[in-house]
């Protein structure tokens, strides 16, 4: 409105005033930058409303975007390889940041599993075993023990783990008891089902591998280990 | 000059129904900023597409609190971070005293990290069942991380039994080191089981 009033006055004044008026208009035009701006909308609902797509060639800074106080009801934001920003939906995505699978090895040899190819890429994922149990294959018998072939006095150690096969570049799994077989408490020769909780972390998203550490305990039970790289 | 002023006035009042470029004369989109942008308050996106099932190698976006100006939106590039939200480290412990690894200080700050164990391997000689004649107990094999002095520690071994003299054992495992900015540590939950082997949690964590 101010500008329209200014415009009407233009008819009344001499041409010498035009330059002054022009300054005023220029000033007011600049002043409008402190009002709301709409692009493709005449009713902006924020300081800047873009009714359409926005492309930003460099960085975006959000000085005070507010905090999210709820765990649920929010989606993570991700940038795709074409630089577009989208929301992450674990139900639609090819993979989760963290994936879990229960692996069931049925009718396994009494010697356990010495080589099992998960076919999961070692480039894209990190695989690990966090828990396991076993029971009889034919009858689901839970009274399964492991017995050392060395001595009846031996309590042998378990090895249930995932490792990288450097030829296939896939994760392999082993699950066995050292020098032992699985058997039933009545000494029956059996096969077993082995159940495993397996985590599958996607690399390059929120997980990474840190170089391995080799700790020489120096025949002592107490030791301070060196820190992993970067910690 | 009158027409010029009229033009300026009209342009000032007309809403912009064209593509706008800032720092560019050839905008590619409705608004195209050929540079950086600072938003001091809220930033709302009404149409935000969702990840496609074919997408791979996308990056998580984070907001940096100590950038200048504050609040730079940046990709989380774990390959160039020293510490990622989830870190996996393989450890090998050898030259043990029997099978005893009573207390290894991992030097990982309990204020910053939560530590878990996976891929545990007991490699080497068995511990012996007999402690005293007639005692065929299995002892007590422990595999755990615990907090002590503000750092994570590790205990592995049978607390009562040992291998035969001259026997050797080594342990290998993967530590999963979670950063507490992404992985919350809840308060412990204590439940009195009253001598029973079944029970119900005494409280549930408030994680809604």
């Amino acid at each position: 409105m101010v500008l329209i009033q200014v415009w009407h006055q233009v008819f009344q004044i001499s041409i010498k005033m035009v330059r002054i008026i022009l300054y005023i208009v220029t000033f007011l035009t600049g002043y409008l930058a402190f009002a709301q701006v709409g692009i493709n909308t005449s009713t902006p609902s924020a300081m800047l409303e873009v009714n359409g797509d926005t492309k930003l060639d460099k960085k975006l800074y959000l000085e005070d975007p507010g905090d999210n106080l709820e765990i649920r009801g929010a989606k993570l934001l991700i940038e795709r390889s074409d630089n577009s920003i989208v929301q992450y939906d674990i139900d639609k995505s090819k993979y989760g940041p963290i994936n879990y699978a229960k692996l069931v090895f049925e009718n396994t040899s009494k010697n356990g599993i010495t080589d099992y190819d998960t076919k999961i890429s070692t480039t894209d994922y990190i695989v690990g075993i966090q828990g396991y149990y076993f029971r009889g294959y034919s009858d689901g018998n839970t009274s399964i023990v492991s017995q050392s072939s060395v001595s009846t006095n031996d309590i042998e150690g378990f090895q249930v783990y995932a490792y990288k096969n450097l030829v296939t570049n896939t994760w392999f799994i082993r699950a066995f008891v050292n020098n032992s077989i699985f058997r039933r408490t009545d000494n029956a020769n059996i096969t077993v089902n082995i159940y495993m909780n397996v985590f599958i972390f996607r690399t390059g998203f929120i997980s990474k591998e840190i170089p391995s550490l080799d700790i020489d305990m120096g025949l002592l039970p107490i030791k301070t280990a060196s820190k992993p790289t970067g910690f | 000059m009158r027409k010029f002023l009229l033009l300026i006035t009209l342009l000032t009042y007309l809403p912009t129904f064209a593509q706008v470029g800032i720092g560019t004369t050839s905008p590619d989109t409705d608004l195209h900023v050929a540079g950086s942008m600072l938003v001091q308050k809220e930033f709302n996106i009404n149409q935000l597409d969702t990840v496609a099932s074919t997408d791979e190698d996308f990056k998580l976006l984070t907001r940096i609190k100590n950038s200048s100006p504050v609040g730079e939106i940046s990709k989380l590039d774990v390959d160039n971070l020293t510490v990622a939200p989830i870190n996996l480290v393989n450890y090998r412990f050898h030259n043990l005293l029997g099978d005893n690894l009573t207390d290894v200080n991992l030097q990982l700050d309990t204020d910053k990290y939560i530590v878990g164990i996976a891929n545990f391997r007991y490699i080497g000689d068995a511990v012996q069942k007999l402690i005293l004649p007639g005692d065929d107990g299995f002892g007590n094999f422990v595999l755990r991380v615990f907090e002590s002095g503000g750092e994570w520690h590790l205990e592995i071994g049978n607390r009562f039994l040992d291998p035969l003299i001259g026997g050797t054992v080594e342990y290998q495992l993967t530590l999963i080191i979670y950063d507490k900015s992404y992985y919350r540590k809840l308060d412990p939950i204590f439940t009195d089981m009253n001598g029973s082997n079944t029970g119900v949690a005494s409280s549930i964590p408030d994680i809604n």
Side-chain angles (χ1 to χ4, degrees):
Chain A
M1 288 303 288
V2 174
L3 277 174
I4 287 174
Q5 285 164 8
V6 169
W7 172 243
H8 284 305
Q9 289 168 23
V10 169
F11 293 105
Q12 317 297 326
I13 58 173
S14 73
I15 203 75
K16 289 178 183 174
M17 291 294 286
V18 166
R19 185 173 293 172
I20 295 165
I21 300 301
L22 188 56
Y23 283 141
I24 294 171
V25 169
T26 309
F27 170 76
L28 285 175
T29 307
Y31 182 79
L32 283 173
F34 290 97
Q36 293 187 324
V37 173
I39 294 177
N40 291 347
T41 174
S42 53
T43 53
S45 58
M47 275 299 181
L48 171 63
E49 178 174 348
V50 181
N51 181 17
D53 295 338
T54 298
K55 179 179 171 186
L56 188 57
D57 287 353
K58 292 188 178 169
K59 293 179 178 182
L60 172 64
Y61 298 87
L62 299 181
E63 188 174 305
D64 185 16
D67 285 318
N68 177 30
L69 303 177
E70 296 283 328
I71 296 179
R72 305 188 195 288
K75 297 255 196 267
L76 298 173
L77 292 181
I78 56 169
E79 187 180 84
R80 294 197 283 204
S81 40
D82 68 354
N83 291 340
S84 62
I85 295 174
V86 298
Q87 55 186 333
Y88 181 73
D89 186 329
I90 197 163
D91 295 326
K92 291 182 178 153
S93 177
K94 182 177 176 181
Y95 51 82
I98 305 170
N99 308 274
Y100 161 83
K102 175 173 159 180
L103 263 55
V104 182
F105 302 89
E106 295 179 310
N107 201 10
T108 305
S109 143
K110 64 185 176 186
N111 298 308
I113 302 162
T114 52
D115 262 321
Y116 172 86
D117 186 353
T118 66
K119 297 278 189 183
I120 298 170
S121 155
T122 52
T123 315
D124 294 336
Y125 296 97
I126 308 166
V127 173
I129 315 298
Q130 285 197 294
Y132 57 86
Y133 78 105
F134 44 85
R135 62 187 197 191
Y137 163 63
S138 54
D139 55 1
N141 194 323
T142 53
S143 299
I144 303 298
V145 297
S146 61
Q147 180 181 24
S148 172
S149 59
V150 179
S151 161
T152 52
N153 282 341
D154 279 10
I155 302 173
E156 300 279 6
F158 281 69
Q159 299 194 46
V160 182
Y161 63 102
Y163 67 99
K164 289 179 179 178
N165 184 314
L166 300 177
V167 176
T168 59
N169 291 319
T170 56
W171 287 93
F172 272 56
I173 286 175
R174 285 192 182 129
F176 59 91
V177 189
N178 297 331
N179 310 313
S180 300
I181 54 159
F182 292 112
R183 65 168 178 80
R184 229 163 53 191
T185 45
D186 62 2
N187 285 322
N189 194 7
I190 55 159
T191 59
V192 290
N193 289 352
I194 302 177
Y195 303 80
M196 274 181 217
N197 299 328
V198 180
F199 65 73
I200 307 161
F201 295 142
R202 179 77 187 192
T203 52
F205 194 33
I206 62 170
S207 308
K208 74 179 294 189
E209 284 182 287
I210 309 281
S212 302
L213 288 175
D214 190 286
I215 313 291
D216 184 338
M217 293 298 288
L219 294 173
L220 292 171
I222 295 172
K223 176 97 179 181
T224 297
S226 45
K227 287 186 189 189
T229 313
F231 280 76
Chain B
M1 187 56 83
R2 277 184 193 172
K3 281 179 183 171
F4 179 62
L5 277 177
L6 180 65
L7 192 64
I8 287 177
T9 312
L10 279 174
L11 281 177
T12 308
Y13 278 85
L14 276 174
T16 313
F17 284 101
Q19 292 189 325
V20 174
I22 296 178
T24 174
T25 51
S26 53
D28 294 337
T29 52
D30 298 285
L31 172 62
H32 181 171
V33 180
S36 299
M37 184 161 83
L38 168 67
V39 180
Q40 290 194 308
K41 290 188 179 169
E42 289 188 359
F43 185 67
N44 299 321
I45 304 173
N46 283 346
Q47 184 191 323
L48 190 60
D49 291 338
T50 301
V51 62
S53 60
T54 50
D55 284 334
E56 281 197 79
D57 300 327
F58 39 78
K59 300 286 183 190
L60 192 63
L61 291 180
T62 57
R63 177 175 171 269
I64 300 173
K65 285 186 170 178
N66 57 5
S67 63
S68 178
V70 72
E72 181 184 333
I73 302 302
S74 99
K75 284 185 282 193
L76 185 76
D77 185 359
V78 292
D79 296 330
N80 288 317
L81 285 176
T82 50
V83 177
I86 302 175
N87 310 275
L88 294 111
V89 192
N90 291 327
Y91 280 79
R92 171 176 175 247
F93 299 95
H94 60 102
N95 200 17
L96 302 181
L97 177 65
D99 72 322
N100 301 294
L101 192 155
T102 323
D103 185 346
V104 165
N105 184 356
L106 300 166
Q107 297 201 80
L108 297 167
D109 196 334
T110 55
D111 285 340
K112 293 181 184 161
Y113 308 112
I114 297 172
V115 176
I117 297 170
N119 291 330
F120 176 68
R121 300 178 65 186
Y122 179 116
I123 303 166
D125 295 311
V127 295
Q128 296 300 300
K129 208 181 283 180
L130 293 176
I131 309 171
L132 298 166
D135 183 346
D136 60 354
F138 289 99
N140 179 7
F141 188 83
V142 175
L143 168 62
R144 64 167 186 143
V145 287
F146 60 97
E147 297 176 53
S148 176
E151 291 176 311
W152 286 98
H153 292 239
L154 179 67
E155 177 185 359
I156 311 172
N158 196 309
R159 285 181 173 174
F160 301 95
L161 305 180
D162 287 303
L164 291 170
I165 291 169
T168 57
V169 174
E170 80 169 56
Y171 298 124
Q172 293 185 17
L173 53 80
T174 303
L175 284 188
I176 312 165
I177 307 169
Y178 300 98
D179 191 288
K180 275 190 164 175
S181 332
Y182 293 80
Y183 201 105
R184 184 186 290 183
K185 184 173 178 237
L186 303 170
D187 291 332
I189 298 168
F190 296 93
T191 304
D192 184 349
M193 298 290 282
N194 287 311
S196 170
N197 58 5
T198 59
V200 176
S202 58
S203 63
I204 52 167
D206 181 13
I207 48 174
N208 295 313

